[in-house]
Amino acid sequence: MNILMLTWASFGNRDMIEAFEELGHTVTECPISDADGAAEADAGDLTGKIRDAGPELVFSFNYYPAAAIACKNLGLHYAAWVYDSPYVRLYHYTINYPTNHVFVFDKTVYLEFHRAGISTVHYLPMAANADRLAALRDFDAFRETEWMNRYEVAFVGSLYTEKHQFYQRLTGISDYTRGYLEGLMDAQKQVYGYNFIQELLTADIIADMKKSLPM
Amino acid sequence: MKLLLYEWESYLQYDVKEICREMGIQVDSFAWKFADKNVDEAFEKWFGKSVDTRQYDALLSINYWPVLSRMAQQRGIKYIAWCYDNPLNVINPEETLGNPVNCVFFFDRLQAQKYIRMGTVHYLPLGVNSTRLSKLRLSGQDYDKYCADIALVGSLYESRMQELRALADEHTQGYLDAVMAAQQNLYGCYLFDELISDELISGINEYVAKRNPGTSFRLPKEALTFAMASEVTRKERLILLTLLGRRFDTRLYSFQSSRILQGVKCFPAIDYVSEMPKVFACTKINLNPSLRCIQSGIPLRALDIMAAGGFLLSNYQPELAEQFEDGEEMVIYESMEDAVAKAEYYLKHEESRQQIARNGQTKVLKEYSLQRRLRQILEIAGIVDGATA
């Protein structure tokens, strides 16, 4: 099968292409920008590119409404594997286009869509390139590297302080709202496996936040 | 064997006396209304003059009374405190809990763990008088009087929260509201001990002092967390009763009632010994929304319900879930929606409801009897040895 992969600066592009190829498919890359454009306008541009490539399936990491619109217009399957959560573009009106096959790795997110009667969102845990990583399992070779006995503990990831912090921009909220948000966050810090922040953000609290930071 | 019992208006007392009689233990008792649970000079004087402690193997009380511990320590007599209230409702219990004469029993494992390092504190689940309850017989009149789909026997917990909340500034009020809202939907994880920090309490006290110069009022942490737990419990009980009252024949037996409870039939409080078991046996589904500061333990009410042959529908409590089989011996709910759905299911499935109630009763009468508990207590206290107990 000919697959057109919409690539942006995401993790896993190389691994995904390898996996498709190992399964006997042909992959063509089509670079896209991750920036939020107007879906309808971007779709026009993308439709031409996809038509020129003539694939049988379009694939992207995360979900792009412009791609969904283009694929619907062309009658093509669009597979999107979403590795960010939450991921705001899932809530775009295009999500239930019949040509969509959207995969999310979080069962709770899947259930949210399933309960809303949306059948184009599926549950699929994330995966790794097992062959590439299995090649690392050579302890004798590892022993010779500079990494041996270098660190005992590592954490690879974001501290969520790198980019802008929405909370610190909420300067105009009332003392009550600030106290409420702090209480909510302190409570959530004690609890794993049950996220209650969303259901406890009352209409009044949201209204006060919107007043401070209109969206 | 002879025990000296401190009498007050407690649920367990009648049964404890009955059980001592049954087990051939002599009991003398005295009553006293303490001016202060910690120190009461008049009591200490009277006790010193009138009671010859040498004739007793131990002084026994339901719940823990620091003044009794102090007296027992002075007189060198063992003091057994059997607590069925949680928290203790004692200011700075650490001051006396470690007295070597003490032998204090908590039914909540987390609370016991908090004090276990003192060496005088033990964990022991509560129990019921299995002799009395296995003799329970119901007449047609009893059924006519008590038959209902759903009942809650207990307090609505009028809390002091509104009053205490008003002491705090806006920011703290927001914080308290959010933490209570989070706790409302959360079972098996108690937030208040951790999140109501000493800084938060001093913040409230400073704010009170600033607004009322010269005041001697100090809000203790225990008072605030107890009020918060009561408030969450009250809200849960009102919501649960309202939701169920709208759908089923629902009753509340309580010394309180509430105008906002629509669709619920409110009855006065009932006697623990003569009436309560009959209510449990004649009601199809008995609710146990635990007081939220009972962090992990099985409340006495849950055991009372099962022992009387009643079907128990309880909130999730860790020790209940560990020691009883959910859906076999009782049923656990995890949210208000879950409680309503399970009530509806078990009202429709008569046979399975009755089987669950029977299983629960068999287990409680056998394994959660006060008789067995008292033997364990006397053994742990070193008054009888394991072989004779």
Side-chain angles (χ1 to χ4, degrees), chain B residues 1 23 371-372 374-380 383-389:
Chain B
M1 186 188 314
M23 292 166 66
Q371 287 82 345
R372 173 192 280 239
L374 190 60
R375 277 192 292 272
Q376 287 173 301
I377 284 176
L378 296 175
E379 202 181 309
I380 292 168
I383 294 170
V384 297
D385 63 41
T388 54

Side-chain angles (χ1 to χ4, degrees), chain A:
Chain A
M1 181 165 36
N2 286 321
I3 297 171
L4 183 70
M5 183 153 149
L6 307 177
T7 50
W8 52 283
S10 92
F11 295 119
N13 287 339
R14 215 45 272 144
D15 288 330
M16 198 64 210
I17 291 169
E18 264 184 55
F20 279 137
E21 287 176 349
E22 200 181 315
L23 292 172
H25 304 296
T26 311
V27 180
T28 314
E29 291 184 54
C30 172
I32 56 167
S33 140
D34 188 40
D36 265 314
E40 289 77 3
D42 290 350
D45 186 38
L46 207 50
T47 305
K49 283 188 193 163
I50 295 173
R51 192 190 287 118
D52 293 347
E56 293 156 273
L57 172 76
V58 175
F59 175 87
S60 73
F61 276 119
N62 286 353
Y63 174 74
Y64 290 86
I69 296 170
C71 288
K72 181 174 167 261
N73 292 341
L74 297 165
L76 272 176
H77 293 293
Y78 172 41
W81 199 356
V82 179
Y83 68 59
D84 278 329
S85 191
Y87 187 70
V88 176
R89 289 181 185 130
L90 284 176
Y91 302 89
H92 196 267
Y93 71 89
T94 54
I95 195 69
N96 59 359
Y97 281 179
T99 42
N100 283 349
H101 309 276
V102 181
F103 300 92
V104 295
F105 72 94
D106 186 294
K107 197 168 68 187
T108 306
V109 173
Y110 158 72
L111 287 172
E112 182 190 348
F113 283 88
H114 177 75
R115 287 194 186 109
I118 291 165
S119 56
T120 48
V121 175
H122 311 276
Y123 169 57
L124 184 69
M126 296 312 301
N129 186 340
D131 290 344
R132 176 169 66 79
L133 294 165
L136 291 175
R137 283 163 66 181
D138 181 347
F139 192 68
D140 290 332
F142 176 73
R143 216 196 295 265
E144 302 307 315
T145 68
E146 54 170 324
W147 295 97
M148 183 69 189
N149 291 332
R150 192 146 160 205
Y151 301 112
E152 288 178 314
V153 176
F155 170 68
V156 178
S158 166
L159 294 175
Y160 289 96
T161 53
E162 291 86 350
K163 294 184 197 165
H164 73 264
Q165 285 177 273
F166 181 74
Y167 185 68
Q168 280 169 6
R169 284 162 56 193
L170 287 170
T171 48
I173 52 176
S174 71
D175 283 351
Y176 179 85
T177 300
R178 185 168 302 282
Y180 191 90
L181 294 174
E182 284 170 11
L184 212 48
M185 289 188 287
D186 282 355
Q188 184 69 73
K189 272 194 262 181
Q190 306 278 323
V191 179
Y192 295 94
Y194 170 35
N195 185 319
F196 47 75
I197 288 181
Q198 196 167 328
E199 62 179 282
L200 296 184
L201 286 172
T202 60
D204 289 349
I205 296 290
I206 295 282
D208 196 31
M209 289 167 74
K210 273 190 177 157
K211 221 163 54 189
S212 169
L213 260 191
M215 298 220 286

